[in-house]
Amino acid sequence: MTEIPKRQVTLDEVAERAGVSRSAASRVINNAPHVSKAKREAVRRAVLDLGYVPNATARALATQQVGAVVLAISSDNPQAFADPFFAEVVVGISAVLEETELELMLLLATSARGQTRLEQLLRTRQTDGVMLMSMHGDDPLAALADKAEVPVVFGGCPVTFEPRYYVDADNRGGARLATEHLVTLGRTRIATITGRMDEGAGTARYKGYQEALAVAGLDAGRVAHGDFSEAGGSRAMAELLAGHPDLDAVFVASDQMAIGALRVLKDAGRSVPDDVAIVGFNDVISARHTEPPLTTVRQPIQSLGREMARMLLGLIAGETPTPLILPTRLIKRSST
Amino acid sequence: MTEIPKRQVTLDEVAERAGVSRSAASRVINNAPHVSKAKREAVRRAVLDLGYVPNATARALATQQVGAVVLAISSDNPQAFADPFFAEVVVGISAVLEETELELMLLLATSARGQTRLEQLLRTRQTDGVMLMSMHGDDPLAALADKAEVPVVFGGCPVTFEPRYYVDADNRGGARLATEHLVTLGRTRIATITGRMDEGAGTARYKGYQEALAVAGLDAGRVAHGDFSEAGGSRAMAELLAGHPDLDAVFVASDQMAIGALRVLKDAGRSVPDDVAIVGFNDVISARHTEPPLTTVRQPIQSLGREMARMLLGLIAGETPTPLILPTRLIKRSST
DNA sequence: CTGAAAGCGCTAACAC
DNA sequence: GTGTTAGCGCTTTCAG
């Protein structure tokens, strides 16, 4: 570990030390052509000796490229980000970005302040690109983002429109998978607890449920709406039990809600899976530890992050990527 | 929503539009003194008309302040960040930063590349400050960070040294609380599953366990080491059962590990809490859904994030904060 | 109170 | 292959 230089070492110092002009030094550092081998070496040594690291800000100002992209979560609820889901997305994004020179900035746009910040980010190109996850349907920022000059990739597809660039999990397919599984098991009175219907994931999963039942010729009328939260799942399950006491299976649009539903079922004296079979969605860690362990649909969350980052990189490089739908698959455990 | 200006609007344009000099415009925007009320107004209007937003990069170059701080997670395991713990920390940090002009950059320094990046960040003041969570004990970066010119706040206290500035949860106190609770319940053969002993949280919790047993005059010899993971918890529990079959309680240093331990106990035919009482640590969401629900020690994770951010802000402002220990408390559920 | 001028550190045309 | 010269957009002395 070399000593820590007190002040910023400038390119001029490197050039002087190496006995070359500043432009030569600059060329070497950005390994551009038109520099003799000798000077190249001299500059290299000077860089090492002096511990030179280019000033990113100055470079950004000169090149008009910021060197950073932002992951923006636009939500009306500050706690939304606490969902382990995002941590996984971030891991995926970060893995891809680590191989580039780009930094990752995180923007939790929940207050009016944050929203304004995100808006400015989109208007003024203070970032090289943004990955946006918008958590409620009528988010005006989402529409604005899709038209912004700055490259924007959506994580998940908003319910109100289809963005130019996005990557999403196959929510509809996953839901169909889950529901078909219930059908295969011989269940005939299959209910569903939906997620928020103003989120793309919520509507898509509901659609998948309907499709599967239509194909099987079964009634898709046993529906209660939740909000992806555990408490919401409990509420919806109670509602279902009251309105459709005959149900023998439930496709629940998220594991969190399934956990809530499980408790209500238990309190009502219905055994899972004997009386009622349950399938969740997401395969969060706790899905393995419920009683009984939850059959659920797994979506490749880290891949989601990775692909978002890759798509953004492509966009920045001037490519025109096409939207990407990531496959989901059924994880069978004992709740069915 | 005003129209989106195509190009960057510059300060000069604002000045021209307002009919004042650039310096005057600049002063208004940074609300510095020495500007007549009339010009102030004119500039304000021009800003609004043109939709001017200052170029952060240029400003950063001129002021030598980046306008961004970084949260760096230094770890040997890329998956470490997937722990919901971090998501919560980020929520806390973000809440504080939202009230400032500072952006948050996220650096998951897991590969050699990331490590280098973090190192450079510390050497060259390319950031206004860093919050560092170092996930393994002998991290050379941690020591380097503590001596860096850049303001650095630690999240959690490393084992090898005490940083100048850090905020941590009261791990030792929490562990003592948990263990004392077991003592109060009349348990006398109390074992522990520790976390990684190269992390501050691991050693501190172990120390708390030892202290509580010393005070009670009980034997603190029933120890197995885990690594904070669920699988590690299972392994350690099996080891404990083999070596100390007489145990009647276990203080487990994390909920994840407790979940693993619970399963092993169940497989071994020991009932919880009748045969063996269990206390975990962290109060993660899944702790509420284990069978039986887990008694655990809650630490204020979001506060941890908030306080880290506040401390960093103080440091940047030139203050000299003192380290902060956040209180923990026991959450009683049915596993004890 | 006001404006001109000199940078911040780097890149990129442009002539040689 | 080489160095000189303008900037990038903003802040900040410094005279007036």
Side-chain angles (χ1 to χ4, degrees):
Chain A
M1 210 149 278
T2 56
E3 78 287 6
I4 302 186
K6 275 287 175 199
R7 308 175 316 89
Q8 154 100 43
V9 179
T10 73
L11 186 55
D12 298 74
E13 290 169 308
V14 172
E16 187 177 349
R17 169 81 159 236
V20 303
S21 72
R22 187 168 70 242
S23 18
S26 173
R27 284 186 187 114
V28 173
I29 282 155
N30 301 303
N31 42 57
H34 306 305
V35 188
S36 71
K37 213 153 174 60
K39 298 206 167 179
R40 259 208 151 74
E41 240 341 283
V43 173
R44 286 234 172 79
R45 220 185 4 266
V47 166
L48 252 42
D49 290 354
L50 267 35
Y52 170 74
V53 179
N55 180 319
T57 308
R59 177 178 285 184
L61 185 59
T63 58
Q64 299 289 68
Q65 298 190 339
V66 184
V69 296
V70 0
L71 169 63
I73 320 278
S74 178
S75 166
D76 42 8
N77 169 208
Q79 299 302 318
F81 183 80
D83 193 318
F85 178 85
F86 288 108
E88 293 248 23
V89 172
V90 169
V91 170
I93 291 176
S94 173
V96 171
L97 255 30
E98 195 154 53
E99 291 163 12
T100 72
E101 296 286 83
L102 292 167
E103 306 289 340
L104 175 62
M105 325 226 314
L106 198 60
L107 183 56
L108 269 38
T110 136
S111 67
R113 242 194 106 163
Q115 300 273 0
T116 307
R117 219 133 119 172
L118 175 50
E119 197 185 321
Q120 292 198 350
L121 225 51
L122 292 168
R123 296 181 179 296
T124 70
R125 29 179 76 264
Q126 310 276 355
T127 168
D128 294 326
V130 359
M131 289 166 282
L132 179 60
M133 313 198 73
S134 180
M135 297 338 272
H136 55 286
D138 52 345
D139 192 339
L141 250 31
L144 187 123
D146 194 43
K147 293 189 190 59
E149 260 96 327
V150 181
V152 176
V153 168
F154 281 74
C157 190
V159 74
T160 43
F161 69 99
E162 189 183 348
R164 287 181 298 171
Y165 311 110
Y166 69 90
V167 5
D168 200 356
D170 184 8
N171 287 303
R172 207 164 86 197
R176 205 161 44 204
L177 232 50
T179 313
E180 279 164 2
H181 174 61
L182 260 11
V183 171
T184 307
L185 258 24
R187 309 285 170 153
T188 53
R189 296 177 302 278
I190 305 175
T192 189
I193 295 178
T194 75
R196 287 179 56 154
M197 295 304 277
D198 61 350
E199 285 188 32
T203 55
R205 290 173 196 174
Y206 181 40
K207 234 175 253 165
Y209 159 82
Q210 292 178 307
E211 284 173 12
L213 288 195
V215 168
L218 292 173
D219 174 26
R222 298 177 177 81
V223 180
H225 296 292
D227 58 359
F228 285 126
S229 80
E230 190 186 320
S234 297
R235 263 195 308 275
M237 190 67 239
E239 191 184 313
L240 237 29
L241 242 24
H244 311 277
D246 63 337
L247 57 82
D248 60 6
V250 189
F251 163 58
V252 190
S254 87
D255 291 345
Q256 294 295 324
M257 293 196 295
I259 288 170
L262 240 28
R263 193 182 5 257
V264 170
L265 246 16
K266 190 179 181 185
D267 292 350
R270 310 259 187 143
S271 91
V272 176
D274 294 340
D275 299 336
V276 181
I278 297 283
V279 185
F281 208 111
N282 275 356
D283 194 23
V284 301
I285 318 105
S286 28
R288 277 190 279 275
H289 307 301
T290 53
E291 190 54 36
L294 202 58
T295 292
T296 186
V297 179
R298 177 180 300 169
Q299 52 172 327
I301 310 184
Q302 284 195 24
S303 301
L304 184 70
R306 265 198 304 274
E307 295 305 334
M308 284 172 68
R310 287 213 185 100
M311 188 173 286
L312 187 60
L313 256 30
L315 227 35
I316 291 173
E319 299 163 17
T320 306
T322 49
L324 204 58
I325 306 283
L326 268 20
T328 47
R329 73 177 216 269
L330 191 69
I331 306 294
K332 292 180 198 161
R333 300 209 180 88
S334 344
S335 70
T336 55
Chain B
M1 210 151 277
T2 56
E3 77 289 7
I4 302 186
K6 275 289 173 196
R7 308 174 315 91
Q8 153 99 45
V9 179
T10 72
L11 186 54
D12 297 75
E13 291 169 306
V14 172
E16 187 178 345
R17 168 80 159 237
V20 303
S21 72
R22 186 167 72 241
S23 10
S26 173
R27 287 188 185 111
V28 173
I29 282 155
N30 301 303
N31 41 58
H34 306 305
V35 186
S36 69
K37 213 157 175 59
K39 300 208 167 183
R40 264 213 144 74
E41 240 340 284
V43 172
R44 285 233 172 80
R45 218 182 9 261
V47 165
L48 252 42
D49 289 354
L50 267 34
Y52 169 74
V53 178
N55 180 319
T57 307
R59 179 177 286 184
L61 185 58
T63 57
Q64 300 288 70
Q65 298 189 340
V66 184
V69 296
V70 359
L71 170 62
I73 319 278
S74 178
S75 166
D76 43 9
N77 169 208
Q79 299 302 319
F81 183 79
D83 192 320
F85 178 85
F86 288 109
E88 292 247 23
V89 172
V90 170
V91 171
I93 290 175
S94 174
V96 171
L97 254 32
E98 195 154 52
E99 291 162 11
T100 72
E101 295 288 82
L102 292 167
E103 304 291 340
L104 176 62
M105 325 224 315
L106 199 59
L107 183 56
L108 269 39
T110 135
S111 68
R113 249 200 103 154
Q115 300 273 1
T116 307
R117 219 132 121 171
L118 175 51
E119 198 185 322
Q120 292 198 351
L121 225 52
L122 293 167
R123 294 182 181 296
T124 71
R125 30 179 75 264
Q126 310 276 357
T127 168
D128 294 327
V130 0
M131 290 165 283
L132 178 61
M133 313 197 73
S134 180
M135 296 340 270
H136 55 286
D138 52 344
D139 192 339
L141 250 33
L144 187 125
D146 195 44
K147 293 187 190 61
E149 259 97 326
V150 180
V152 176
V153 168
F154 280 73
C157 190
V159 243
T160 42
F161 69 99
E162 190 184 344
R164 287 182 297 170
Y165 310 110
Y166 69 89
V167 5
D168 199 355
D170 184 8
N171 287 304
R172 205 165 88 199
R176 206 162 43 203
L177 232 50
T179 313
E180 280 164 1
H181 173 60
L182 259 12
V183 172
T184 308
L185 257 26
R187 308 286 169 154
T188 53
R189 296 177 303 278
I190 305 174
T192 189
I193 295 177
T194 75
R196 288 178 58 154
M197 296 303 277
D198 62 350
E199 285 187 33
T203 55
R205 289 173 198 175
Y206 181 40
K207 234 175 251 162
Y209 160 82
Q210 292 178 306
E211 285 175 10
L213 289 196
V215 168
L218 292 173
D219 174 27
R222 299 176 176 83
V223 180
H225 296 292
D227 59 359
F228 283 127
S229 81
E230 190 187 319
S234 297
R235 264 194 307 277
M237 190 67 241
E239 192 183 313
L240 238 29
L241 243 25
H244 311 277
D246 64 337
L247 59 81
D248 60 6
V250 189
F251 164 58
V252 190
S254 88
D255 290 346
Q256 294 295 324
M257 292 197 295
I259 288 170
L262 240 29
R263 192 181 6 257
V264 170
L265 247 14
K266 191 179 180 185
D267 291 351
R270 309 259 188 145
S271 91
V272 176
D274 294 339
D275 300 336
V276 181
I278 297 283
V279 186
F281 209 111
N282 275 357
D283 194 24
V284 300
I285 319 104
S286 29
R288 277 189 279 274
H289 309 301
T290 54
E291 189 54 37
L294 202 59
T295 294
T296 185
V297 178
R298 176 179 300 168
Q299 52 172 328
I301 310 184
Q302 284 196 26
S303 300
L304 184 70
R306 265 198 304 273
E307 296 305 334
M308 283 172 68
R310 288 213 184 101
M311 189 175 284
L312 187 60
L313 256 29
L315 227 35
I316 291 173
E319 300 165 14
T320 304
T322 49
L324 204 58
I325 306 283
L326 268 19
T328 47
R329 72 176 218 268
L330 191 70
I331 306 294
K332 291 180 198 160
R333 300 208 181 89
S334 345
S335 71
T336 54

